Amino acid sequence: ECIPGQGTCVLPNKCECFYGWGGVSCELPISVPGCVNGDAVAPDICRCADGWGGRLCDYPLCQSWPLPSPECVHGSCIKPYECECEPGWSNYRPLNKSGFDIPPFWSIGQDVSQETAGTYVKADSRIAFLSFWDRQYNSSNAAQCTMPDCRAIFDPRCIECDAPPKGVCNLCDPGFFVNTTTNRCERCSNVFPHCQLCGPEPTGPDGLVVLRCRHCDPMYVLEPMPFGEDPSGRCVSDGPIEFSSPVYHVYKDQKNVTLVLQRSIYVLRPEFARPITVVVQSRDATAHSSSQIYGGGLANFEFTRVNVTFGVDESVIMPAEGSMGDDYGELLRQRFQERIELPIKIYDDVGYHIGMRYFDVDLILPPEHLSGHQGPLYPFLPPRAHETDQAWLMPQNFYRGPLLDRQDVLCTTRVYIWDHEEATAINTTCTGACLEWEDKTLVDKTRRLTIKARTHEGKAITPKQKIRRNPHFIVKYLPRAPGQEEAIGAITIPTASNLAGTYLGSFTPNIPGAYKLQVEKAVPGMFAEYWWHRNIHRNNPQQPDISRVDHVLDFYWPDLTTAPAFVRWQFILHFECIRTARWPYNFGHAVGFIASPGSQLKVNFWNDGAVYRDVPDNAAMRRREEMIREDCMNDVNFFICVDLLFHEPVVDPFGYYAFQVEFTTPMADLLDEKKPAFLEVMLYHQNDTDYWGWWPIKQECLLTSGLNIHGSPFEEFQAISGAALAKYSSVLSMPHETPSHRVIVDFEAEVRIDLRDILGQPVYAAGRMLSSIKAWLETKDGRRDRDIELAWDAKRKFYRGFWMPQEPPPELGDDLGDGKYFRNLVVTLDNVQITNSPLPVTAIMAVSAPDMSFVEIGNFTPAQAGHRQWFQFRSVTTSGRLRVTGGDEYVVFFAGPKHDPLDATDRFQGNVTDNGNGTYTTTFEIQRPGYYDMRVFLGSKEIGASPYFDVHVWDYISASLSTAHGPGVSPPSGAPSWSGIPARIVAGVPTSLRIIARDSYEVRYFEGGALWELNMSAMNSSLTSQPSANASNQRSGWMAPPDFLSVADNGDGAYDVDYSVCKAGLTHLEVKVWTHESWRDIKGSPFPVEVGSGILVANTSKVNPPPSTPNSGIPAFLILDLRDACGNVADAEALERLSVTLERVGPPVTTVPVDVVRTGPGEVVVFFTPGRRGLHRMLVKADGIHFQASPLEFVVEPPGAIPTGPDAQWVLGTIGASSNSTFEVLGSPA
């Protein structure tokens, strides 16, 4: 069917569409040409996609509101919401306080809000400022091209300007100012010599804004001028600072080189020159060599970066006549510091260099002083902020300070380092035992070697050339047998012979197997490797940044930014050196290491392995003088102690021992404040002052480790043991190496046979001793069972015996009743039994498989608390057969209960009984109800189904131990609920209580689900709704609060009860629990409850009419019935909520005085004396609500007779019928 008005039917099932329509039924609108970025919604009408506009949706939009448009101001919209700016223009981007671009808030996904609106800046089309705090924001609007490129439009040095065509340059780069005549940027030094920054300042006469210098070049200061005089501000000299010499010379074995800095004080202006701080910094410190042209030796100077301040003594007054004064020069030297000496440590790098080496030292003016020393300006110029504090205001004409990323080097000096001629490690050689290999050398045989010390030119050193004291060389014997790869066997010191340059040494192998020798040049100090970069990996082969010999033991870097990232020190402690003339037998008791907070410390001593310490950032540091000997026994978080006095094996007080120390500093860029890094090495001993304490180690008592001579290390040596003897040999079971053996039938058994010589050293002989060893099994009575196979285990380095245990032959008559039999293993060496032969062997017929054992009969869940429960295990052998003998060791324990788990020491365990037939009966008794996980272990492994989860241990709830407490049952005095004192509640007001269910062990029950029965005699049988206690008093439609009672199960043994009752008076609440197949009262039940009256409620209270018709002038009364919400008599405070008013209906309406008197519970009498006859209205309210029958209307009649009698009362003026009535008063006391 063709849609009418959009097409017509021309053939069956064929529509001819009108212009602008298409589709089978002409239902689709068509645009000609077609919509490019949108859809046709009517003939030739397109609905564009977001960001596109135009008749055909073919051009982009950059603004979506307040009206869609492609507006970019000084640019073109090239794609939706993206402007391409014309040359010289850019999008607006806000700046931070340092003048750098910051990303706008909208670029990071934030939207405008009342809280964030105050942080936005103006000048962007995305924000419309409707008022001071009211604005709109659309994140899709493109940033328009509204910011001129000042450098392209005005001047290459212009950084801030106003937009053309009327704009001008407002601010130039640092060091330039705006020349208002040419509107270009001009250099400050062209106008003010030695000026670095300048600009307009209001320092002229009468506050005139003038161009003046603000900051001077380094070593120049602004000359102060009184206000109004010469406001330009001249830059004058502040006294140049330089090294005293461009070159210094030093020998490498000296401790330091002293650099002298001096200030030229005679060219400065003393009346305003200020203190100057410079930086002295060494260069070439991170190279592998002080000078790369010498092949990369070791760095040999301490990297230095030190702030040096030339001070000014303000107390010294210069003469008024200036330099013409007689004592001008002396006063000038007193006022200004002229000379400073700075030592730089020099290290002996051990390597000999035939020529000179050098390093450079720079004298630097730090970046913070690059703008010169600003002298006093008059008037004082406060520093300008880079940007206004109101960040939502666009910064206009803000002063941008210089961005200083360089430092000026004032001068440089060079330090040349010279060598003495001495023995060099590379030219020193070793002969003798370091080159000879003896096949039959026994362990503990002393080997001797000769060291030939040679100079750089290959000459033997002479006594005059021996500039170092002994020891000159060290010999390290290093075992390399399996398991000894990192061991240090012994360290010895060669001694000088009578031959020039010849030293004689020795060593003694003490462990059989491979070993190597290291012969090293001994230099006082510690061999150090420094890594200064942060991507340190200790164990990779990368080269250190600095390698040298350190001669100090207290390392301190004032700032982590200048500290190394990682340092490794290697040294040998020479104990003999510590002894003094006064104490010839003194040696160190302990070596200590103190590390700075946040650092990591690792110390290796001898063969002890590594000791680690991660020093916390908040460690309470102590100095060396504050440390005590007991710190070695305590865990001090910044301290590592190597105790030598109680060391095992014993430390030789005359020996040499190797240390390696690794020190890692924290990442400086992760710290919020400047922190130092330090490490101190110290020794606990008795010094010459006769005082025990932690003392610095003398430099000559440390020897470098790792400076090998030519050919060192010498490897591929072997130490061989002596002849094996049965007396010193032994046999041990494997794998536990015990002197008795427990084997299992059908599982291979193995023993280890250790052959040793007379010294107790192992004898290997590469397996050649097999023919001398015999081994067999025999019964207890000496009958031979079988021989044992023997083999040499080359990998594990011992002789092994092995066999496959079988069931014993019947003829040997073994008793297999307990599933095992016994043998002795006999081992002989050359037909002599070795030390612990025979070795007792117990053979077990079968072994149980934990993963196949199972619970056979009995139940372990559920179990009643305090009652014995049992079940039975069945063991299964590894072959899958049921075990028929005993001997297995089962352990059963219960982890839990889950709601309150017990410690491992308190948990319940099962008692397992071995029945001797492969079954094991387990009994257990658990006193605490709950859910437990039962775990069953056979040996050290759990059986297949273990752990058994959620073993339920239950108990009856004890009614006599269960309690209830809360306002619904507890007395207000604080006494317990079972004291018999009634609880007090208010009628109709909900109250609550909590019931705690306890088991027979007086422990709160672990779960809910108990059945409770609660009854109260005062409650109606229907708890949902009920009439009140005084239904006749209720106003029509009023419903009194219903009695109700509800119990909520908390699931943890606690039950919350809410209830309400309307009937006032003393009642009782029964609380019963279903336990032991009956309902039983809990402790204190039934609980006495005193239900008190509630507050006065108008809907249940009533106004009763006067008992008789009131007469004018004669006193009358009526009664009020006061009730609470439930219809009980209202409480004692009811009168405070009562309002009573009596009116005579007019005209006019007048109020009649009333007197309200409480005459009893819930009853009030209202007394009144009407003054005139007529219609009266009584209004009675409680809290603004009328009582029942209120307002009550009644008619006051004139009295028919005057009241008589002794108690008669009446009002004389109102008792008559009219004003013309006459009265005769008889019997009046007057």
Side-chain angles (χ1 to χ4, degrees), residues 106 110 264 269 455 494 656 671 836 1088 1092:
W106 49 81
Q110 298 188 18
S264 301
R269 294 284 294 273
T455 66
Y656 298 79
L671 300 178
N836 59 333

Side-chain angles (χ1 to χ4, degrees), residues 22 401 409 419 473 602 623 747 752 762 908 1098 1140 1150 1191 1196:
V409 178
D419 251 346
F473 297 96
K602 174 185 175 183
R623 297 177 300 177
F747 286 85
R752 169 177 177 164
F908 297 99
V1140 180
T1150 59
V1196 176

